[in-house]
Amino acid sequence: MPHARPDERPSAVAHKRRPLSRIDDPFVRAVARLPVTVRTKLLIAFVGTSMLLVAVGLLGQLVLGQSNNRVASLGALQERAIGYAALQQQVDDLRDLLAENVGGDFYLVWTEVEKRENSKAIDLHASTAVRHIEAGTAADRLGFTPPPGDQGALASIRDTAHNLWRELDEELIPLYADLDGTTKEDWNRVRVRVESLSRDLKDAAAALSLGTRAEVDELIARNANSFASSRALFIGVAAGALVLALLLGFILSRSLVGPIQSIDGRLAAITSGDFSGQVEVENRDELGALGANVNRMNDELRRLYTELEEASRHKSEFLANMSHELRTPLNAIIGFSQVLRDGMVGPVNEKQAEYLDDITSSGNHLLSLINDVLDLSKVEAGQFELDVHPFSLREALQRGVVMVRERATENEVRVAFDADPKVDVVDGDERRIKQVIFNLLSNAVKFTPAGGEVDVSASQVNGEIRVSVADTGPGIAPADRDRIFEEFQQTETGVGKHEGTGLGLALSKRFVELHGGRIWLESELGRGSTFTFALPARTTAP
């Protein structure tokens, strides 16, 4: 397990609680501290918003009802105005008709038969028209029931029309039958009374029509003002309800989303290995309980992380010490076995030579394993230092191919090498890069069946030097592609071959990353695998 830097290592002893965020709004804090569940808070917000909507709807219905009433009143008043205007028009037509005889010369009318008959026809027509006017003041003829305020004016018009009819029918028209007994004074006297009554009738009809028209105009103006006031009231109430609903939703969402964001931030920090903070949730609901549980988990993980870090440090120190202690006697065993095998202390028979070869081979394998463990321990302890200098990557790749070619030939595996001419000198630890190349090549040869191929290539792409080792082996399952880069991890195929310890790829990954590079795998079951590592290209000429 990688060690944290001293300035990043959480302290379980001296720990100061640091809240991630606080709720500064007093309204939000008050809602957060309500001792009710989140469901209840949401229900309250829903009911409150619904009530605001109902209030706006009721107000809208009230305003609409008032508008409908005003329209109905205006319609009835306009109907009256139209009826009274028609009545006034009848009176005006009567006045125009009577005007044809008012200025007539009595003697001229009497001496000329044709004019006398025409004048009589006009007066008879006027009498009939007056009768229609009198009857037209009735409710059934008007088409509506006049209000009490108009009934007196209609009665006055009806009486005046009746008197005018009597004056025409009983006084004026009989004069046409008594030509000898009628004088100019009689004629003028009757005409004056007819004129006076017709004028009174016109004034009464005009007063009624104009008064009703004035009421219509006044009602229209009043309706316009009332509509403007109602509209302003409705808009104001609707805007107020909208603001209250938004404010309620904002306060509730802040009281719920704020703690969730704080908890999410703390969990993200815990995931990244930062256990120094604490989340403060003022809610007295499920979110408050969740925040408390997150804090308890944070404290427990900090304690476990500290213990695990300490154990990892002891493990690394133990492995480093044991690896160092094991190398001394192992080197002696290998050295003495080689001395015996070379016959430097006496001849050995064939069977003894075979045993000595096994001892040397096993010793070298064990020494390689100890060296890998020691390197891995140094890397994990942060004590590994690279010996960086310019070297030829092309030559390192060629030497790696030469080192595995003998085993490849034995396994009937063809190894091909192809490098871009631009790929040559790089900056790095030559010994460790060679170790990475040898690990990848030896794995490729080991897992490629007889008749297969291993292709080694190098190229420069986007400021990187990329080295790829492709084989035609069995491939690696998707579930194993990340795991094989971990310590002591092997695929089922690797375990079946009883070779290796699962440290080669783990060390290769760490060596490449120490150089600022990266390593990855592309594989398909049954069609082989391609391991590729990339190193930064040189920015200056060698």
Side-chain angles (χ1 to χ4, degrees):
M1 176 179 177
H3 292 285
R5 296 196 302 269
D7 57 343
E8 293 180 340
R9 190 175 302 167
S11 174
V13 178
H15 171 67
K16 181 179 180 181
R17 289 181 176 265
R18 176 169 53 85
L20 290 179
S21 62
R22 295 182 60 87
I23 299 176
D24 298 326
D25 194 307
F27 296 104
V28 177
R29 187 182 300 114
V31 173
R33 290 178 176 177
L34 288 176
V36 294
T37 62
V38 173
R39 178 182 298 179
T40 303
K41 292 179 181 179
L42 293 175
L43 180 61
I44 293 174
F46 175 76
V47 172
T49 304
S50 299
M51 292 178 64
L52 290 174
L53 292 176
V54 170
V56 172
L58 291 176
L59 179 61
Q61 186 176 6
L62 177 62
V63 171
L64 184 60
Q66 292 176 347
S67 178
N68 288 336
N69 292 336
R70 288 193 295 266
V71 170
S73 300
L74 180 60
L77 189 57
Q78 287 178 331
E79 184 181 9
R80 287 165 49 201
I82 293 172
Y84 295 156
L87 183 61
Q88 182 185 10
Q89 185 61 45
Q90 292 178 8
V91 173
D92 290 341
D93 293 341
L94 174 64
R95 284 280 297 169
D96 293 339
L97 187 62
L98 292 175
E100 297 182 19
N101 284 338
V102 168
D105 189 347
F106 170 75
Y107 291 103
L108 185 61
V109 170
W110 249 247
T111 56
E112 297 182 14
V113 176
E114 183 179 352
K115 289 186 178 181
R116 184 173 64 245
E117 292 300 325
N118 184 53
S119 178
K120 181 179 180 181
I122 291 173
D123 289 334
L124 288 172
H125 190 192
S127 175
T128 303
V130 171
R131 258 335 235 186
H132 283 295
I133 293 173
E134 180 183 359
T137 59
D140 56 343
R141 295 289 296 275
L142 289 172
F144 56 86
T145 302
D150 293 346
Q151 290 179 3
L154 288 171
S156 176
I157 293 174
R158 184 166 51 251
D159 294 341
T160 303
H162 181 74
N163 293 334
L164 179 58
W165 172 78
R166 289 184 61 185
E167 195 66 33
L168 288 170
D169 196 66
E170 297 179 5
E171 298 292 336
L172 181 60
I173 293 177
L175 293 179
Y176 289 98
D178 187 9
L179 297 178
D180 297 332
T182 301
T183 64
K184 183 177 181 178
E185 288 76 13
D186 295 335
W187 176 267
N188 289 335
R189 185 177 61 254
V190 176
R191 283 291 181 190
V192 168
R193 289 200 301 269
V194 169
E195 174 66 16
S196 177
L197 288 173
S198 65
R199 190 183 303 111
D200 293 341
L201 184 61
K202 179 181 179 180
D203 292 342
L208 180 61
S209 178
L210 293 176
T212 306
R213 183 71 257 175
E215 289 183 26
V216 171
D217 294 339
E218 181 183 0
L219 182 58
I220 290 175
R222 191 165 61 250
N223 286 348
N225 293 333
S226 298
F227 176 77
S229 301
S230 299
R231 181 178 59 184
L233 176 63
F234 180 77
I235 293 175
V237 172
L242 179 61
V243 170
L244 289 176
L246 292 177
L247 183 61
L248 180 61
F250 173 77
I251 293 175
L252 182 62
S253 63
R254 280 291 304 276
S255 68
L256 298 179
V257 175
I260 292 176
Q261 291 176 337
S262 299
I263 294 172
D264 178 69
R266 181 87 290 272
L267 290 175
I270 291 174
T271 303
S272 64
D274 177 15
F275 305 103
S276 60
Q278 289 282 321
V279 59
E280 279 198 9
V281 178
E282 300 181 354
N283 293 48
R284 300 172 63 184
D285 49 27
E286 295 90 338
L287 293 178
L290 179 61
N293 289 333
V294 169
N295 287 334
R296 284 193 291 269
M297 179 187 69
N298 179 82
D299 295 340
E300 182 65 16
L301 287 176
R302 182 174 63 251
R303 183 185 66 80
L304 294 175
Y305 183 86
T306 303
E307 293 178 357
L308 184 60
E309 186 184 43
E310 190 69 16
S312 177
R313 184 177 63 81
H314 289 313
K315 180 207 72 172
S316 298
E317 292 176 355
F318 171 77
L319 289 176
N321 292 333
M322 288 300 298
S323 298
H324 180 73
E325 294 297 328
L326 288 172
R327 290 173 69 181
T328 301
L330 187 58
N331 284 325
I333 293 173
I334 295 173
F336 284 124
S337 64
Q338 290 176 343
V339 169
L340 292 174
R341 179 67 177 82
D342 294 339
M344 297 177 64
V345 294
V348 293
N349 57 36
E350 183 177 350
K351 194 65 174 178
Q352 290 172 335
E354 181 180 350
Y355 289 157
L356 289 172
D357 287 339
D358 289 340
I359 293 173
T360 302
S361 176
S362 298
N364 285 325
H365 178 71
L366 183 58
L367 182 60
S368 176
L369 174 61
I370 291 173
N371 287 333
D372 287 346
V373 173
L374 181 60
D375 289 341
L376 185 62
S377 300
K378 287 182 178 180
V379 171
E380 289 187 346
Q383 301 173 355
F384 192 90
E385 294 182 1
L386 297 175
D387 181 15
V388 179
H389 62 274
F391 71 95
S392 175
L393 180 62
R394 177 185 293 272
E395 292 182 4
L397 290 170
Q398 291 173 342
R399 291 176 184 174
V401 171
V402 170
M403 291 175 64
V404 300
R405 182 157 284 163
E406 181 179 355
R407 180 174 181 180
T409 302
E410 294 176 357
N411 294 344
E412 299 180 5
V413 175
R414 186 180 69 85
V415 180
F417 172 64
D418 180 26
D420 190 324
K422 297 180 180 179
V423 177
D424 192 5
V425 179
V426 297
D427 291 326
D429 190 324
E430 182 177 5
R431 178 168 172 264
R432 299 308 177 184
I433 295 300
K434 287 182 177 179
Q435 187 174 348
V436 173
I437 295 172
F438 180 75
N439 282 337
L440 297 181
L441 284 171
S442 61
N443 283 342
V445 171
K446 178 171 60 176
F447 292 109
T448 301
E453 296 181 0
V454 174
D455 293 324
V456 183
S457 62
S459 60
Q460 182 169 340
V461 180
N462 297 329
E464 291 181 329
I465 302 297
R466 294 185 180 180
V467 177
S468 298
V469 178
D471 62 60
T472 57
I476 299 174
D480 294 331
R481 291 175 190 173
D482 292 329
R483 186 173 61 85
I484 60 174
F485 288 103
E486 299 176 2
E487 300 90 340
F488 306 104
Q489 297 291 329
Q490 291 180 296
T491 63
E492 293 183 0
T493 305
V495 174
K497 286 183 174 293
H498 302 287
E499 296 184 27
T501 58
L503 289 178
L505 288 177
L507 272 174
S508 298
K509 182 175 185 294
R510 282 160 175 74
F511 287 157
V512 169
E513 290 176 347
L514 285 173
H515 282 81
R518 54 198 179 97
I519 187 170
W520 66 92
L521 165 66
E522 298 173 353
S523 181
E524 185 177 349
L525 286 176
R527 305 192 64 176
S529 304
T530 300
F531 284 87
T532 304
F533 71 89
L535 299 175
R538 298 195 72 192
T539 56
T540 58

